[in-house]
Amino acid sequence: MSAAETESKRPAVLLSFDAEEFDIPLEYGFALSESEQFRIGADGFERTLLLLDELDLRATFFTTASIALRRPDLVRRAVASGHEIASHAYFHSRFESGDVARSRDVLRRVGGTDVVGFRMPRMAPVDPALLRDAGYLYDSSTNPIWLPGRYNKFFAPRRPHRKDGLIRLPLSAVPLVRWPLFWLAFKNQPRMLTRWTTSAVLRADGYAALYFHPWELMNNAGFGLPEVIARTSGQRMYAALREHLLWLRTRCRFLTYAEFAQERFAS
């Protein structure tokens, strides 16, 4: 078996970051200027790129058009480093149906690359007809778990599938119990539990779809956020994520969401 064939047999990690303005404090009644929201979001974006450069890993950045317009240099730098740019709508805190197409147009123009993926902010529902008409290949707006106070998608399909003319790429969760692998679980559980749940998903599915936010790599203290969000941030989050990615790198290959979609649904 050739080296390429051996590599293709390894489980895949679909690493993603929602590159957005740091507006989450507003959800908890903390006033933060728009300029500060964009500064923290962009600084986190840059820090994430540095981490991935250091580890020689590629990821998918679901990016709001608003942050791309504020910092086009970061989008172009991500593209030059081999990362995928996908859409995270136009703004993170407000949405109009036309934003689906407009955000894709902005990201394609700014990044000089095609944009085929979409993720709705806060994993909210989105009309598949809007995505199809705008030219998207896949949608990754489902976290198939119950997240109290946010959504209940416990019985949503857990694995990639086609629906309504789109490839659907849900985030990963442990089979049966639907224990999540996303950012909030990572920040609040022991590292050994993170490794166990990730290993369980890799064994069951042959891949793990993960997501984080660049602003998590900035210091999130002092913005009125609950402890479950703020406790692991800044340098502590950087070190924890770096350790986890190094652990994954020895076991898996890293694919962008678009590469995985095309590989899994090549026919």
Side-chain angles (χ1 to χ4, degrees), residues 119-131:
R119 176 177 291 162
M120 188 70 172
R122 299 179 176 88
M123 299 291 168
V126 57
D127 184 350
L130 293 175
L131 300 182

Side-chain angles (χ1 to χ4, degrees), residues 67-209:
I67 205 165
L69 289 171
R70 294 262 183 150
R71 290 296 303 274
D73 58 308
L74 295 177
V75 174
R76 292 170 188 144
R77 180 171 161 188
V79 172
S81 295
H83 304 299
E84 178 191 0
I85 296 296
S87 174
H88 198 38
Y90 206 99
F91 300 101
H92 194 254
S93 288
R94 59 187 188 270
F95 176 77
E96 298 176 358
S97 59
D99 292 348
V100 169
R102 285 194 294 267
S103 64
R104 183 172 187 245
D105 290 343
V106 167
L107 293 169
R108 293 172 77 186
R109 185 175 72 251
V110 170
T113 186
D114 200 7
V115 173
V116 299
F118 185 87
R119 176 177 291 162
M120 188 70 172
R122 299 179 176 88
M123 299 291 168
V126 57
D127 184 350
L130 293 175
L131 300 182
R132 289 197 312 270
D133 292 347
Y136 291 98
L137 171 70
Y138 73 85
D139 175 33
S140 182
S141 303
T142 302
N143 193 9
I145 65 168
W146 174 46
L147 184 61
R150 183 71 81 182
Y151 47 74
N152 186 354
K153 300 179 182 178
F154 190 91
F155 296 104
R158 198 180 59 79
R159 287 178 167 149
H161 57 283
R162 287 187 183 273
K163 185 180 180 182
D164 299 322
L166 293 166
I167 295 171
R168 304 300 182 107
L169 299 179
L171 297 170
S172 287
V174 176
L176 300 179
V177 297
R178 297 292 179 104
W179 190 265
L181 268 59
F182 75 137
W183 65 282
L184 203 55
F186 181 85
K187 292 162 82 79
N188 289 284
Q189 66 191 14
R191 296 292 169 254
M192 289 308 297
L193 179 56
T194 296
R195 290 188 178 189
W196 184 88
T197 53
T198 305
S199 295
V201 167
L202 290 170
R203 285 194 302 270
D205 300 338
Y207 75 96

Side-chain angles (χ1 to χ4, degrees), residues 238-257:
Y238 188 100
L241 184 57
R242 181 181 185 278
E243 179 185 14
H244 189 53
L245 294 177
L246 284 171
W247 177 78
L248 285 169
R249 193 176 67 175
T250 64
R251 293 160 174 78
C252 308
R253 58 196 176 114
F254 281 68
L255 298 177
T256 66
Y257 277 60

Side-chain angles (χ1 to χ4, degrees), residues 17 42-57 61 74 77-78 81 83 214 217-218 238 242 245:
F17 295 88
D43 286 352
F45 195 165
E46 186 166 25
R47 198 156 194 227
T48 304
L49 290 172
L50 288 172
L51 173 62
L52 296 176
D53 283 348
E54 176 195 349
L55 301 182
D56 193 24
L57 296 176
F61 285 88
L74 295 177
R77 180 171 161 188
S81 295
H83 304 299
L217 301 186
M218 305 300 292
Y238 188 100
R242 181 181 185 278
L245 294 177

